[in-house]
Amino acid sequence: MDLGEFEADNSVSCRLASAIPDVCKTEDCCLGIDEAGRGPVLGPMVYGICFCPVAKKEDLKDLKVADSKTLTEAQREDLFRKLDEAKSFVGWALQILSPNTISTSMLQRSKYNLNALSHDAAIGLVQFALDSGVQLKEVFVDTVGPAEKYQEKLSQRFPGVNVTVRPKADSLFPIVSAASICAKVARDHSVKDWNFPEDLGEVDADYGSGYPNDPKTKAWLLKELDPVFGYPQFVRFSWSTTQTLLDSKAVTVHWDDDEEDGEKAAARQNNTSMLSYFKAGSKTSAQQSNTHQTHRFFTERRLQSLATL
């Protein structure tokens, strides 16, 4: 699988796709949707679709596709090769959501959570298939959140398409299994061959599966944590695992809040705000001299505090 377009700039999301089989533009088609990499703290989340004519469902079964999580890496690679070779009737597309995209979306002021990201990625891929001329009649989806609500949402978004959303759909429908394999192979390749744009020199590539409970991933996160800059963009900053480590191991940084005025900021830092010199009721220069010496910045410029304007 060629991920060159994503690897050229892995800080942003990327869409990759096969050629659209001609038969998919003339015959009623089914389409499956699944993802890989939802839970890991490292690397991208990949959404995949696979589609073929409804009349070719049995041919897809003959390829012996299965839920990617039940297969070894070698088996997944072999099945993806077979899917790619069946280009006369099988097509696929991927939406690779970079860890940087995930982090910035989830941490922005207007929260954009992982479920919303997932739904939008799936909707975007279905729309891509339709825009490419695929004659979609059936869509099968592995659920994210409540299956009934998700199915209703997709049905309203794509009227005329029969949408089925089920838990564990990747083990129930071969077309979803095929999508699962495409997504998992893409994620495996991107994580294994990750290009660190931060120019960190030699980076330990033994980071395990990327899941928070993986001992190798835990050890890598501890080893690669920079006390000032945190982590490279390979890490999802929005994960609680990352935030806990940064809170306990990194130096404390205070970001001035736009909602915090100058006086509050000065009080927090145990300083005097410049605004205090212009407050009504402030002491005159004569009164100030009785308590403390006026700073030379003011005396050199012949500036005095005013009680009233």
Side-chain angles (χ1 to χ4, degrees):
M1 179 179 286
D2 181 12
L3 300 181
E5 186 177 342
F6 175 67
E7 291 169 348
D9 185 1
N10 57 25
S11 67
V12 297
S13 296
C14 176
R15 179 173 293 164
L16 304 174
S18 70
I20 307 297
D22 290 338
V23 68
C24 291
K25 298 179 181 180
T26 58
E27 296 187 19
D28 291 349
C29 292
C30 60
L31 178 148
I33 306 175
D34 200 10
E35 53 77 24
R38 180 180 173 84
V41 66
L42 303 180
M45 178 172 71
V46 182
Y47 254 81
I49 60 171
C50 195
F51 48 89
C52 73
V54 173
K56 294 285 189 178
K57 281 184 178 180
E58 291 303 317
D59 293 345
L60 192 64
K61 285 183 180 180
D62 291 342
L63 296 178
K64 300 188 185 307
V65 293
D67 176 7
S68 66
K69 293 185 285 295
T70 67
L71 304 171
T72 65
E73 182 177 355
Q75 288 173 324
R76 289 192 297 267
E77 292 283 348
D78 183 57
L79 284 170
F80 176 75
R81 179 182 58 78
K82 290 179 179 179
L83 287 169
D84 207 33
E85 289 176 351
K87 54 189 174 183
S88 63
F89 69 96
V90 174
W92 55 266
L94 303 169
Q95 185 70 30
I96 305 177
L97 300 173
S98 71
N100 184 53
T101 296
I102 295 170
S103 297
T104 53
S105 296
M106 295 180 67
L107 294 175
Q108 65 186 14
R109 282 183 180 269
S110 178
K111 300 302 180 186
Y112 187 24
N113 64 34
L114 199 61
N115 278 3
L117 273 169
S118 299
H119 287 188
D120 288 348
I123 289 170
L125 286 169
V126 174
Q127 189 63 55
F128 166 78
L130 289 169
D131 292 344
S132 299
V134 178
Q135 300 300 302
L136 282 186
K137 294 300 177 184
E138 301 174 351
V139 170
F140 300 90
V141 189
D142 195 16
T143 191
V144 173
E148 296 79 9
K149 289 185 177 179
Y150 192 16
Q151 182 169 310
E152 181 182 1
K153 179 179 181 179
L154 291 174
S155 297
Q156 291 177 350
R157 180 65 176 77
F158 301 107
V161 178
N162 183 22
V163 178
T164 301
V165 179
R166 294 286 186 274
K168 307 296 183 184
D170 47 2
S171 61
L172 298 175
F173 308 106
I175 195 67
V176 181
S177 301
S180 173
I181 289 167
C182 294
K184 180 61 174 170
V185 169
R187 169 164 164 91
D188 286 348
H189 280 224
S190 67
V191 170
K192 184 178 180 180
D193 302 322
W194 188 262
N195 173 40
F196 289 87
E198 295 85 359
D199 192 20
L200 302 175
E202 288 295 325
V203 178
D204 183 6
D206 190 18
Y207 31 69
S209 66
Y211 281 89
N213 60 352
D214 185 330
K216 286 187 176 181
T217 301
K218 289 180 179 179
W220 188 88
L221 286 170
L222 284 170
K223 179 181 178 181
E224 297 297 330
L225 190 154
D226 185 284
V228 175
F229 298 105
Y231 290 109
Q233 292 183 5
F234 182 50
V235 180
R236 301 180 188 178
F237 282 77
S238 51
W239 255 231
S240 60
T241 303
T242 310
Q243 293 176 352
T244 299
L245 285 170
L246 291 172
D247 288 342
S248 61
K249 303 293 184 182
V251 296
T252 301
V253 178
H254 180 84
W255 301 97
D256 287 336
D257 193 327
D258 290 339
E259 296 177 359
E260 181 180 52
D261 62 30
E263 291 182 85
K264 289 181 180 178
R268 175 175 46 73
Q269 300 176 45
N270 201 26
N271 292 328
T272 301
S273 168
M274 283 289 291
L275 297 175
S276 65
Y277 289 94
F278 303 99
K279 268 191 169 182
S282 295
K283 296 179 180 179
T284 63
S285 59
Q287 290 172 317
Q288 288 178 2
S289 64
N290 294 330
T291 57
H292 66 274
Q293 186 174 356
T294 303
H295 193 278
R296 67 174 186 168
F297 175 88
F298 300 99
T299 57
E300 290 174 354
R301 292 163 177 76
R302 300 180 183 279
L303 298 175
Q304 296 180 351
S305 296
L306 295 177
T308 58
L309 294 177

